[in-house]
Amino acid sequence: MTRLNSPEKLECARKDIVSRIDPTKPCISVCAGAGCLASGAAEVIAAFKTELDFHGLTTEVNTKGTGCPGFCERGPIVMIYPEGICYLKVKPEDVPEIVSHTIKEKKVVDRLLYEDPATGTRALRESDIPFYKNQQRNILSENIRLDSKSMDDYLAIGGYSALSKVLFQMTPEEVMGEIKKSNLRGRGGGGFPAWRKWEESRNAPDPIKYVIVNADEGDPGAFMDRALIEGNPHSILEGLIIGAYAVGAHEGFIYVRQEYPLAVENINLAIRQASERGFVGKDILGSGFDFTVKVHMGAGAFVCGESSALMTALEGRAGEPRPKYIHTAVKGVWDHPSVLNNVETWANVPQIINKGADWFTSFGTAGSTGTKIFSLVGKITNTGLVEVPMGVTLRDIITKVGGGIPGGKKFKAVQTGGPSGGCIPEAQLDLPVDFDELTKAGSMMGSGGMIVMDEDTCMVDIARYFIDFLKDESCGKCTPCREGIRQMLAVLTRITAGKGKEGDIELLEELAESMGAALCALGKSAPNPVLSTIRYFRDEYEAHIRDKKCPALSCKEMIAFHIDPAKCKACGSCFRQCPAEAIHGGKKLIHIIDQEKCTKCGTCLDVCPSRFGAVRKISGEPVPAPVPEDKRAIA
Amino acid sequence: MDISKIDQIIDKHDGEASSLIQILLDIQSEHNWLPKEALKRVSEKLQVPMSRIQHIATFYKAFSLVPKGRHQVHVCMGTACHVRGAQRVLDTVQEVTGVKSGETDSDLKFSVETVNCLGCCALGPVMEVDGKHHGNIAPSQIASVLNNCE
Ligand SMILES: Cc1cc2nc3c(=O)[nH]c(=O)nc-3n(C[C@H](O)[C@H](O)[C@H](O)COP(=O)(O)O)c2cc1C
Ligand code: SF4
Ligand code: SF4
Ligand code: FES
Ligand code: FES
């Protein structure tokens, strides 16, 4: 592969690629993102290959493995072009029908289309599906257009034109100016304006500087960075090189967690391809600008997502944070100025350069410009990745995009900001999602995890969950964090075990205050999930402590399972499936749970036929005495 | 253990001390754990003290200083999976395998571990067995998946 050594050559190469694409040629794109692969996308792709081969269509039909378009829950997702038909939940068994019907006869396989749960109408294209219709997918929409392993695909949709533009038509100061005008704020956590860090590094006298992609994605429940780096790795790389040019850096790092092997593979491939074509390496596109980049795999430590810890890890050491009085933008990796931005932040850069800051600021609010990708998960009908303009309300995301809560359950709270964030209740759902508003509500934007909880989720347990998570993740270097977390966990565990004491809530609040003295943001923000749940769900804490009752019927040590004698029809389902052999059964006998043996696994509740609904969970009240033996017979 | 394999891994990273974590990750993925002889070799060749290697091997969760089972079972305990019943999945896995989270059984068949998000949260709760994801897994399906492991 020859290196492209001028912008003209790049445009020639692009023209050549585009001219070879026949827009009328059928193409089958299968999402090969992590979610769909987990649902069997690889088998679907293999089935298409076999089937096309069988029909002698291999050269007439293209097949592609693309990045994640967001609707992972309905995967594997298959798109058929040029019609743009969108099939959901495709299984290998469906493939022969798709090939014979849709590819050969141009007919639609109705049952694989999206069906509106309310009206039963089917949607042919992505754009007709409410989940997609209510989004603004500036970044994510590129994923489905690309074979995630093909640089030609990226070039065909205009890839590296922003890089070419900055190298040949803009000074670094002009690039900086455009990013400043766009008011792009960091997508990885704090929402710090990108240009400020860039400028600080640029102005630092040290000639050796670094630019870094943070793809550690530690927030459990967030996966947009994974989708971007897997699906469209060149866009991240292009953003990074543009940043390097603006800052004056010639070396970069991409820090990816090892739990994302496909992301590691695709970004490494992209770097190799880009080096062969002259987008990375010496004298990029003949501009005289040099830039090399290395991938570093994270070895599993949440704290390494924090900027100073990440940089220590890059040096090959244990990633422990250091005090913040010196900015990493001035003294970072090996004490050289280092600009660290999140994956999604970098992904926005090429678009801002190509389309302009004014285009970018036309989305979002004055303080929070552009779009943001959220991972909308938990108790929500449409789970997946959603990209919306900043400033839309949480309610719109949850109802319009997310399709509300499944199973007729009641919404309780939405958690944003990961372990540093908080839970937002129903009463605050009209809050616009923007960096500042979420912080005011006691949560934060964070990296974009949005976990929806319904009436079955216990808010004290959620607080305990996050503190338990952080107990394993605190690096232990400073006492307020280490000890604060340990003590908070002890109190929360006590409360959720039904052993809470009067004054525990106040104790948690006191502990929270003491953690303000922690060294890094992990420790400082650790109390947020606790404080926000106390703030909005104090009654749940009180019910646990005073009434020994878990209102959500979730805390294992405070609940019991009971079979309602009036409802049991002796079908025996629970008896057969109880793993603890805790159920007394028998033909035409009311079934009874032996509370001593019951491990509270919940199986009986799951398997009791809904027309009987005899098994129930109880909390805060005594378990009714078992039916006496002589009264067990069912007439 | 094949020392030349370890040398190859070290050479692939140009023997640089800054690549220490990357080298250890490669060894871990090759052997499923970090054997003592391998670490000694790394220490010699990179001229990094053993104490620093030990510190790193305990600091990061990807590393194991004891041998792992033939089958690695990972249960996701990330937030998205937690609210969809990950604890019940973990309870069932522990019951079926008889192995507690973080442990390996004595015939080195199963290692059970909890992880914080596998990045397919839309399919929660998620269990991963030898790299293969099982999404939306119900406790009642777990035994049949694990019984397929030899
Ligand atoms: C404990 C901790 C973990 C973090 N984890 C991540 C992470 O996984 N990914 C990320 O992009 N930022 C993470 N951050 C935020 C980073 O420190 C940093 O602010 C961010 O990467 C900067 O990029 P941005 O300005 O583009 O958001 C974390 C911060 C803390 C304190
Ligand atoms: S606040 Fe916690 S994670 Fe951060 S440096 Fe202190 S102990 Fe480590
Ligand atoms: S909760 Fe589980 S252990 Fe208890 S009775 Fe029901 S099935 Fe048996
Ligand atoms: S992984 Fe396929 S839609 Fe997300
Ligand atoms: S929380 Fe389980 S896969 Fe993300």
Side-chain angles (χ1 to χ4, degrees):
Chain A
M1 199 62 64
T2 49
R3 286 174 69 88
L4 303 165
N5 55 13
S6 70
E8 295 74 31
K9 288 252 172 69
L10 167 62
E11 290 320 312
C12 270
R14 193 191 315 283
K15 263 208 198 107
D16 184 48
I17 293 165
V18 173
S19 74
R20 277 186 277 121
I21 298 174
D22 172 3
T24 62
K25 182 173 174 182
C27 176
I28 302 171
S29 293
V30 184
C31 171
C36 286
L37 284 176
S39 317
E43 291 78 7
V44 172
I45 296 175
F48 271 116
K49 296 227 159 110
T50 322
E51 195 64 19
L52 290 173
D53 192 38
F54 176 75
H55 288 276
L57 288 171
T58 309
T59 51
E60 278 143 67
V61 180
N62 286 339
T63 47
K64 260 184 205 178
T66 70
C68 165
F71 210 7
C72 317
E73 198 205 7
R74 308 290 170 98
I77 294 182
V78 174
M79 300 286 296
I80 311 282
Y81 298 103
E83 295 84 355
I85 302 170
C86 174
Y87 289 144
L88 305 173
K89 290 204 172 191
V90 177
K91 296 197 182 57
E93 305 88 89
D94 301 321
V95 166
E97 193 178 348
I98 296 178
V99 172
S100 61
H101 263 65
T102 309
I103 300 293
K104 294 182 81 168
E105 296 170 26
K106 301 282 164 206
K107 285 197 278 195
V108 177
V109 183
D110 271 341
R111 68 184 164 82
L112 295 174
L113 296 176
Y114 174 82
E115 182 184 6
D116 193 296
T119 61
T121 45
R122 303 267 176 183
L124 187 65
R125 294 187 182 82
E126 251 193 359
S127 52
D128 304 327
I129 301 175
F131 173 75
Y132 289 122
K133 205 160 46 187
N134 293 303
Q135 299 186 37
Q136 175 64 46
R137 297 193 301 150
N138 291 351
I139 301 175
L140 270 181
S141 61
E142 286 191 352
N143 265 10
I144 195 81
R145 300 170 66 194
L146 302 169
D147 185 325
S148 34
K149 298 205 172 0
S150 160
M151 180 157 80
D152 281 2
D153 272 16
Y154 185 61
L155 291 175
I157 64 161
Y160 291 106
S161 56
L163 177 64
S164 165
K165 180 173 170 183
V166 303
L167 292 178
F168 293 93
Q169 297 167 35
M170 295 172 86
T171 61
E173 290 77 11
E174 282 168 338
V175 178
M176 202 74 89
E178 200 65 22
I179 297 297
K180 184 168 176 176
K181 204 169 137 203
S182 76
N183 195 19
L184 171 66
R185 293 172 68 172
R187 265 48 176 167
F192 197 74
W195 67 271
R196 272 211 228 144
K197 283 199 257 189
W198 293 22
E199 197 167 74
E200 213 181 333
S201 272
R202 179 169 177 80
N203 292 341
D206 189 338
I208 298 177
K209 305 177 205 286
Y210 300 107
V211 282
I212 309 163
V213 181
N214 190 343
D216 195 38
E217 193 150 69
D219 177 359
F223 62 109
M224 50 266 142
D225 295 348
R226 170 171 197 168
L228 290 177
I229 209 160
E230 273 178 12
N232 194 358
H234 282 285
S235 69
I236 314 297
L237 190 55
E238 184 177 4
L240 184 69
I241 309 170
I242 293 170
Y245 173 74
V247 169
H250 299 287
E251 267 182 82
F253 296 97
I254 300 177
Y255 188 98
V256 196
R257 65 204 303 243
Q258 57 99 27
E259 290 92 330
Y260 289 178
L262 187 59
V264 174
E265 182 184 320
N266 288 1
I267 191 72
N268 270 315
L269 177 68
I271 293 171
R272 265 203 316 280
Q273 293 168 334
S275 317
E276 282 167 9
R277 292 298 248 166
F279 301 115
V280 166
K282 286 231 170 300
D283 192 19
I284 295 173
L285 286 174
S287 66
F289 179 68
D290 306 334
F291 181 71
T292 54
V293 59
K294 249 195 192 158
V295 173
H296 181 105
M297 275 194 279
F302 174 71
V303 72
C304 285
E306 194 273 338
S307 48
S308 64
L310 184 144
M311 294 186 193
T312 325
L314 280 179
E315 296 169 5
R317 295 188 282 135
E320 281 164 5
R322 54 172 211 211
K324 266 287 164 68
Y325 49 84
I326 313 165
H327 288 181
T328 47
V330 177
K331 251 178 166 204
V333 185
W334 291 294
D335 286 342
H336 298 301
S338 306
V339 171
L340 173 73
N341 279 120
N342 167 262
V343 172
E344 192 184 337
T345 315
W346 290 116
N348 274 292
V349 170
Q351 296 207 355
I352 293 171
I353 297 297
N354 268 334
K355 301 182 186 167
D358 291 334
W359 167 83
F360 186 77
T361 54
S362 72
F363 303 99
T365 61
S368 305
T369 49
T371 59
K372 175 79 192 84
I373 306 177
F374 291 97
S375 117
L376 186 62
V377 293
K379 305 287 188 69
I380 181 100
T381 305
N382 301 328
T383 19
L385 293 181
V386 306
E387 181 176 351
V388 289
M390 300 256 203
V392 301
T393 63
L394 284 164
R395 193 182 300 282
D396 278 351
I397 297 181
I398 290 168
T399 53
K400 288 197 183 145
V401 182
I405 317 298
K409 299 274 180 177
K410 226 173 130 260
F411 171 89
K412 187 185 272 183
V414 56
Q415 207 277 346
T416 68
S420 310
C423 295
I424 297 166
E426 167 91 44
Q428 303 261 346
L429 276 190
D430 290 311
L431 212 66
V433 285
D434 108 346
F435 290 108
D436 313 306
E437 293 294 327
L438 287 178
T439 309
K440 271 189 239 157
S443 183
M444 63 184 272
M445 179 81 88
S447 60
M450 196 172 264
I451 292 117
V452 182
M453 301 165 187
D454 67 7
E455 55 191 285
D456 295 340
T457 316
C458 168
M459 301 317 285
V460 189
D461 175 64
I462 284 294
R464 190 204 52 80
Y465 164 81
F466 279 113
I467 296 297
D468 186 49
F469 171 89
L470 290 169
K471 172 201 69 175
D472 292 334
E473 300 296 345
S474 160
C475 78
K477 188 168 164 177
C478 65
T479 322
C481 172
R482 190 182 61 233
E483 283 306 304
I485 287 175
R486 201 181 59 78
Q487 291 183 35
M488 270 195 172
L489 183 61
V491 177
L492 289 164
T493 307
R494 178 160 88 209
I495 299 176
T496 52
K499 302 189 181 112
K501 296 197 282 252
E502 265 328 304
D504 273 354
I505 300 178
E506 293 70 23
L507 179 56
L508 286 171
E509 285 168 336
E510 267 167 46
L511 287 167
E513 198 149 323
S514 72
M515 290 171 70
L519 189 60
C520 86
L522 186 151
K524 281 196 218 308
S525 64
N528 285 352
V530 181
L531 293 177
S532 72
T533 45
I534 294 180
R535 174 165 161 193
Y536 297 120
F537 301 95
R538 200 181 182 100
D539 53 332
E540 281 197 35
Y541 279 84
E542 286 167 353
H544 280 75
I545 296 171
R546 290 191 196 142
D547 312 330
K548 306 296 172 212
K549 174 178 175 150
C550 173
L553 300 173
S554 151
C555 291
K556 215 168 169 174
E557 293 176 64
M558 304 180 74
I559 56 166
F561 288 80
H562 176 246
I563 297 174
D564 186 340
K567 290 185 177 167
C568 176
K569 293 283 177 283
C571 74
S573 299
C574 60
F575 170 72
R576 281 190 299 275
Q577 296 191 50
C578 169
E581 297 180 3
I583 298 181
H584 297 292
K587 212 171 169 188
K588 292 213 169 168
L589 288 181
I590 291 173
H591 286 39
I592 295 171
I593 296 174
D594 180 342
Q595 299 296 334
E596 297 286 307
K597 282 193 186 162
C598 172
T599 59
K600 301 180 189 174
C601 73
T603 304
C604 51
L605 182 62
D606 290 349
V607 301
C608 180
S610 55
R611 60 183 187 282
F612 305 148
V615 181
R616 55 185 199 118
K617 273 197 259 187
I618 50 182
S619 179
E621 51 183 292
V623 183
V627 193
E629 273 310 310
D630 57 326
K631 301 249 169 68
R632 278 183 67 201
I634 302 178
Chain B
M1 195 194 57
D2 189 354
I3 279 289
S4 69
K5 273 251 173 69
I6 304 293
D7 287 352
Q8 267 171 27
I9 290 174
I10 297 173
D11 292 343
K12 195 178 101 199
H13 293 280
D14 304 325
E16 276 180 41
S18 63
S19 300
L20 178 56
I21 298 171
Q22 307 304 298
I23 291 171
L24 296 182
L25 277 171
D26 283 355
I27 299 176
Q28 170 81 35
S29 97
E30 174 87 24
H31 290 272
N32 267 339
W33 69 297
L34 299 176
K36 189 102 191 186
E37 305 98 277
L39 297 186
K40 274 199 196 126
R41 187 70 174 184
V42 173
S43 165
E44 279 161 32
K45 289 202 78 167
L46 299 189
Q47 304 202 326
V48 177
M50 202 60 185
S51 58
R52 194 176 135 200
I53 296 183
Q54 285 285 351
H55 182 42
I56 286 178
T58 45
F59 182 85
Y60 293 102
K61 284 187 216 45
F63 301 124
S64 167
L65 291 169
V66 291
K68 283 283 170 81
R70 294 190 298 287
H71 301 289
Q72 316 252 346
V73 186
H74 294 160
V75 180
C76 178
M77 300 301 275
T79 324
C81 290
H82 177 79
V83 302
R84 288 201 190 170
Q87 186 60 48
R88 282 182 61 195
V89 174
L90 178 64
D91 290 346
T92 314
V93 166
Q94 292 181 344
E95 209 157 292
V96 172
T97 57
V99 179
K100 283 230 149 56
S101 145
E103 293 176 5
T104 302
D105 54 9
S106 53
D107 10 316
L108 295 184
K109 182 169 178 192
F110 286 114
S111 290
V112 176
E113 230 145 314
T114 58
V115 290
N116 293 323
C117 190
L118 293 160
C120 20
C121 323
L123 306 178
V126 183
M127 167 176 87
E128 190 194 49
V129 181
D130 298 330
K132 182 169 166 39
H133 294 81
H134 300 265
N136 285 316
I137 186 105
S140 57
Q141 300 164 331
I142 290 171
S144 73
V145 173
L146 295 179
N147 291 338
N148 276 334
C149 295
E150 278 309 304

